[in-house]
Amino acid sequence: MKHRIVVLGAGYAGAYVAGTLARRLSPEDTEITVVNAVPDFVQRMRLHQLAAGRDIAAPKLADVFVGTAIRLRLARVTAVDPERQVVAVVDADGGGELGYDTLLYALGSRGDDHGVAGAAEYAFDVAARPSALRLRERLDSLGGRGESRNVVVVGDGLTGIETATEIAESRPGLSVTLVARGELGARLSAGARSHLRQACDRLGITVLEHTIVEAAEAAQVLRADGTALASDATVWTAGFAVNPFAAGGLEVTENGRIVVDRTMRSVSHPSVYAAGDAAYAIGDNGRPLPMSCASAGYTGMQATAAIVGRLTGRKVANTKLVYTYNHISLGRRDGILQMVDDEGQAKPKYMGGRKPARIKAGILKMSLWAASHPTFGMPKRKHRLAAAPDATAENTAAYAEKAVE
């Protein structure tokens, strides 16, 4: 019987891991199934651009995986049962269960409204393609009206900054306000913060610092001090969380991220690996890796090395797990490249202007190409599985040992 590898999610991490496993493991021993809710590859790093009006490529996953022997299952994951080693899914035919011997959980994250009243009902987000398209439709409906229309972006993290600047540049007829809980760009160096402020001024963005939003309504945002901001479109970018069904018996953090060891293996269920936003992984600096595309790449490489190593009886290599910079686009022609130290703090050195904007555009292009060609550049030799470690026995022993502790 072949070893069943199931990959949940075909984003930056999932597509890479699935393709690399298909290139490195013999199909005589393994079968790889990728489960994804939509038929397209979603460029999550560009969803704010999609919302603002740009045309963003969305390659068909069937084309991405053609010739790899990967099975694509278009379905929505509803539950993970690590005890029985099955995944429950719903699709056009009703759904069912998928059994696995090795599971890679790479379903990413979703927008987190933190329970703020009205945010789920009245605010838009750019955490998924459907929600980004809904925001785009809303912005389109505002553009043709004579009177001034207000867009309020709540949250000044990287996503909030990129969203506010992209909308302001692409739709100059709209009045954009960026709401920051603390100082704008607090995690950036002094020079980068100054550059960010200049960009907001240039684009006509109103910045409200040290402002807490208590509620969102159909036409306004309510602040903690009792005042209201008129808003024809409220965009919520104040955080991300992992889908709650990840906690089906797996050890997770408070916000649902799967706790993994250095090799991206679940600390509670050794048949499960995680990569991308869903993984709570400790980087080489001893700090948790942030939710980011860069982290997806590093955790995906480590998970791949660990799965291949264990299944083929080879030594599991430790790939690097680092986070060295923040790259922020400020519209199409401006950006910030902020270096960070081993403590995750901004270094004084940064780069601002057109050059980091061009670098960021190159990164986006490269990421799309890599995700669209997941087996390119991998060793052509396909490894056979080790005779004994068909990880079922190993997983059972490891889990039993964990239960005794």
Side-chain angles (χ1 to χ4, degrees):
M1 182 176 178
K2 293 184 178 181
H3 188 93
R4 301 164 300 171
I5 300 174
V6 174
V7 177
L8 303 184
Y12 295 109
Y16 169 83
V17 173
T20 307
L21 292 176
R23 188 70 179 264
R24 298 187 64 185
L25 297 175
S26 171
E28 295 182 36
D29 300 324
T30 58
E31 62 178 34
I32 301 172
T33 301
V34 174
V35 181
N36 204 62
V38 296
D40 310 312
F41 175 78
V42 176
Q43 295 191 71
R44 180 154 183 190
M45 289 192 294
R46 300 191 66 184
L47 288 180
H48 64 290
Q49 298 174 347
L50 178 68
R54 290 208 222 178
D55 292 327
I56 305 302
K60 295 294 182 183
L61 290 173
D63 296 332
V64 169
F65 295 130
V66 68
T68 64
I70 292 172
R71 301 177 181 182
L72 176 62
R73 178 75 179 269
L74 296 179
R76 180 171 57 87
V77 178
T78 59
V80 176
D81 186 341
E83 306 297 338
R84 296 172 50 226
Q85 295 191 185
V86 296
V87 178
V89 299
V90 173
D91 58 17
D93 298 322
E97 289 186 337
L98 286 174
Y100 65 83
D101 299 303
T102 295
L103 179 73
L104 188 281
Y105 190 106
L107 287 175
S109 59
R110 56 178 174 79
D112 187 0
D113 59 26
H114 301 287
V116 173
E121 294 82 3
Y122 300 112
F124 300 87
D125 67 64
V126 291
R129 183 176 174 85
S131 56
L133 288 173
R134 285 194 295 271
L135 173 57
R136 179 175 180 152
E137 182 179 359
R138 177 59 176 166
L139 296 177
D140 286 343
S141 74
L142 301 177
R145 304 184 183 183
E147 65 272 31
S148 176
R149 293 290 172 169
N150 303 306
V151 176
V152 176
V153 179
V154 181
D156 70 321
L158 305 190
T159 302
I161 292 170
E162 292 191 329
T163 301
T165 53
E166 185 73 28
I167 293 175
E169 181 181 83
S170 300
R171 299 175 183 264
L174 299 177
S175 176
V176 178
T177 298
L178 178 59
V179 178
R181 189 179 184 90
E183 180 185 4
L184 176 65
R187 296 175 59 187
L188 301 175
S189 64
R193 287 198 302 273
S194 176
H195 186 91
L196 174 58
R197 289 181 183 279
Q198 292 174 22
C200 289
D201 290 341
R202 172 175 54 82
L203 294 169
I205 298 172
T206 299
V207 177
L208 298 179
E209 297 178 294
H210 307 288
T211 299
I212 297 175
V213 172
E214 285 197 338
E217 297 182 351
Q220 63 182 5
V221 171
L222 302 180
R223 298 190 285 185
D225 62 5
T227 60
L229 296 173
S231 179
D232 298 290
T234 300
V235 189
W236 199 269
T237 65
F240 299 94
V242 175
N243 289 313
F245 56 75
L250 296 167
E251 184 173 334
V252 298
T253 62
E254 289 184 0
N255 67 346
R257 300 175 78 183
I258 298 171
V259 182
V260 296
D261 62 16
R262 180 59 177 75
T263 68
M264 301 303 111
R265 197 182 205 180
S266 165
V267 298
S268 62
H269 293 79
S271 62
V272 177
Y273 293 78
D277 286 358
Y280 181 77
I282 304 301
D284 294 341
N285 62 356
R287 296 177 177 274
L289 290 175
M291 294 184 181
S292 70
C293 180
S295 296
Y298 289 124
T299 56
M301 286 188 283
Q302 180 60 79
T304 302
I307 293 171
V308 171
R310 291 191 173 108
L311 292 186
T312 61
R314 290 170 167 77
K315 180 180 179 180
V316 175
N318 281 351
T319 63
K320 63 180 180 180
L321 297 174
V322 297
Y323 193 81
T324 56
Y325 61 85
N326 289 316
H327 211 149
I328 312 168
S329 63
L330 304 173
R332 303 187 185 198
R333 295 175 291 277
D334 194 2
I336 293 172
L337 177 60
Q338 174 67 71
M339 307 306 294
V340 299
D341 60 23
D342 289 342
E343 299 299 315
Q345 302 299 312
K347 293 182 178 179
K349 184 178 180 180
Y350 83 99
M351 182 189 302
R354 287 182 177 268
K355 185 173 181 178
R358 289 195 294 267
I359 294 173
K360 180 67 176 286
I363 291 173
L364 294 173
K365 185 176 181 179
M366 179 184 66
S367 298
L368 173 62
W369 192 93
S372 302
H373 301 79
T375 62
F376 181 81
M378 293 294 105
K380 292 184 177 180
R381 178 185 177 189
K382 294 182 182 292
H383 299 301
R384 300 295 302 270
L385 299 198
D390 136 341
T392 305
E394 180 189 358
N395 291 345
T396 301
Y399 183 69
E401 181 181 343
K402 177 77 176 177
V404 171
E405 293 178 354

